[in-house]
Each structure stands twice: as C-alpha cells, then as structure tokens.
Amino acid sequence: MVAGPAQLQPIIELEARSFIPSDRFARATWRHLLGPARMRGSSLTLVALSGGHVVGALNALLRRDGHTARLYSLAVDPQERGRGIGGLLVRHLAKRLPPAFTVLSLEVRHDNAAARVLYERLGFTVFEHLPAYYPDGGDGVRLRASRAAVRRG
Ligand SMILES: CC(C)(COP(=O)(O)OP(=O)(O)OC[C@H]1O[C@@H](n2cnc3c(N)ncnc32)[C@H](O)[C@@H]1OP(=O)(O)O)[C@@H](O)C(=O)NCCC(=O)NCCS
C-alpha cells in the first residue's frame, strides 16, 4: 500500500533494524517524504504489511526530469527476508509509477550482496561506480533498469 504520515513511526523502526546508523534517514527526512513531497508527487513510499505490521518499505523519488524514478530506500524486516518481499515492493513500484517514468535508478553499497542479487534479478545493471560514496568511505554502485524490464521480472 502507499504510505503516508501514519506510517512514519513503523518505517523509522524498520530502518533502525535494517541499516547502520549512518545509512538511516533522519526522522525529518521521512516526515518530508511521507508528507509534503508525497503531496507534491515527488516522493512515493510503499509498505508491505503482514498481520497489520509494516515488514517492508520502499521510497522512490520521482525526478523533475519526468522519466527517472530514484529508488531512495528499501528495507525488509530481518525476520522476513528471503521471502520475496523486497522484490515484490520493487515490482509494485514499477507498476504504480506515473506512465512517463520509464527508468529506475538507485545506489547501493558495492558489498551489499543480498541487495545486489535482488536488483540483478530484477533487471538492474551497473551504470556507474561510485568510489567512497558513503559517509564511512564505503564504495557504491549506481544501477539502472528500464521500468518495463522490472515489471516483467
Ligand atoms: C535488500 C533487502 C531489501 C532484500 O529484501 P528481501 O525481502 O530479502 O528480498 P527478496 O527475498 O525479494 O530477495 C533477496 C535475494 O537475495 C538473496 N540473498 C539474501 N541474502 C544474501 C546474501 N547474504 N548473499 C547473497 N544473496 C543473498 C536471496 O537468496 C534472494 O535471492 P533469490 O530470490 O534469487 O534466492 C533486505 O535484505 C534488506 O532490507 N537489507 C537491509 C537494507 C538494505 O541493504 N537495503 C538495500 C539498500 S540499497
């Protein structure tokens, strides 16, 4: 489902279980993404629910260029991983985006094996290497996929 301000706290708790502190978004960032940015149509957040609880969350920024959606955050509860929830959220994004958005783009840590396996399976390929991209000096890669490929995946 599409998330709004009511999902702020569960998403923050999910992020705390999923990311090292420097990779988490500040509460103010999530508040903006779920509120004003969502209302403006520049941010789309999807959550996966199990038993009424948020077990997965994805945020995408819809760029002003009108055709690239940047997958900005993706997290699945550690206890629910490996069951396809991450893939489901990304494919759901590819279905829900406004029609003009034809490209998905994202950055991921070079050594994030689980995420890279998932993105590769969904049709993403390396677009750019990003040395020392993360605040702790970790390397990143920028991946891209056509929306059509992700929808088929
Ligand atoms: C990345 C993440 C969202 C994936 O969510 P998920 O629900 O487990 O994803 P899926 O079940 O759809 O797919 C996971 C794939 O990774 C594989 N995988 C899991 N752990 C792995 C590991 N350590 N090494 C290699 N592959 C791994 C699984 O086997 C699965 O692939 P398969 O379906 O071909 O078997 C989840 O691991 C997560 O929240 N990680 C922490 C936050 C994060 O790193 N987010 C991405 C930032 S860009």
Side-chain angles (χ1 to χ4, degrees), residues 51-73:
H53 298 288
V54 171
V55 293
L58 171 158
N59 175 268
L61 299 180
L62 311 191
R63 291 228 169 111
R64 279 167 202 243
D65 71 5
H67 64 83
T68 309
R70 179 182 174 204
L71 213 167
Y72 197 32
S73 177

Side-chain angles (χ1 to χ4, degrees), residues 87 90-92 94 104 122-124 145-153:
V90 180
R91 281 199 300 276
H92 199 58
L104 300 186
L122 288 166
F124 284 84
S146 82
R147 175 192 191 169
V150 173
R151 284 188 68 156
R152 277 196 307 272

